Structures are given as structure tokens and as C-alpha cells.
Amino acid sequence: GFGGPPPDEMAGEFELVNTGSATPTDGCLPLIGFTPGRIAFMDRGTCEVGLKALNAENAGASAAVIANDRDGTVLVLMGAGVDGGAVTIPVVALGEDDGNLIRPELPGVSAVMRVNERLGVHA
């Protein structure tokens, strides 16, 4: 319920985020050295998803993908939190299994993500 609407198809190169913190890939702090125009790939962590997405947008990301810490059989809704209303880029979540397949291949992964509508939820 926040960010720009995900297009039916989103293409680009993923870049694993770095905040320079003890948990650098969670996106909970401003991103360091992010390449503008890429899709920010980050891990679910302890901060609100809206903050993660806003940090990605402020670094120039074209979209944000958040890898969940639960497998794809568990639907976890992303709440906007305090900062989500300021986010204009598309924000999508992946299950843990998909995140674990992509993360080790970064950098250098270009992908086309297709969003399917199921029961009123983009999945």
C-alpha cells in the first residue's frame, strides 16, 4: 500500500545495498556508493519497510526489492511505516528462497520481474 505502483514488468540490474553498518544490506540507514538507476536489493531487517524504500529512492534507485526472512509460502505484508508515504518508486518483496538465490549472484544480475495479480495482491 505505498510507493509507486509496480509495473506489470520491471527490468534492470540489481545492486545489493550497503549502509556501512553492522547490518549493511538491510537498508535501514542511507545507502553508500549505490549506482543510481539500478534496482536496490536489500534484506528484511529491523526497521520499517518504508524507511528502507525511502533510503533506496534517495540513493537514486529505480525500484526496491526486499528479500524476506521467511520462505515464499508465507505472505508477509509490507507496511509503509512512518516514511512510506514519501516513497514514489515501486517496492516489491521476495520470499526468502528467491532472495537466497539472487543475493550470492550480486552484483551483475539483470532481471525482468513480472508482477502477477492474485486475489487483489500483487505477487
Side-chain angles (χ1 to χ4, degrees):
F2 71 98
D8 291 336
E9 188 171 285
M10 187 168 52
E13 186 170 342
F14 289 138
E15 183 173 332
L16 186 63
V17 303
N18 178 14
T19 64
S21 69
T23 52
T25 61
D26 69 3
C28 291
L29 295 171
L31 308 187
I32 297 171
F34 187 81
T35 307
R38 290 189 177 167
I39 298 170
F41 186 91
M42 58 190 75
D43 293 316
R44 184 172 180 186
T46 58
C47 67
E48 295 176 339
V49 175
L51 175 61
K52 296 171 178 293
L54 187 59
N55 286 336
E57 183 169 339
N58 288 341
S62 61
V65 173
I66 300 167
N68 206 334
D69 57 359
R70 299 176 190 167
D71 71 35
T73 62
V74 178
L75 179 62
V76 177
L77 300 177
M78 298 185 303
V82 174
D83 299 301
V87 176
T88 62
I89 61 172
V91 181
V92 296
L94 296 176
E96 181 180 34
D97 294 344
D98 291 330
N100 288 341
L101 288 173
I102 295 169
R103 190 180 305 97
E105 303 301 321
L106 298 174
V109 173
S110 292
V112 175
M113 296 183 354
R114 291 180 181 85
V115 179
N116 301 314
E117 186 85 18
R118 292 189 199 134
L119 302 174
V121 175
H122 275 85

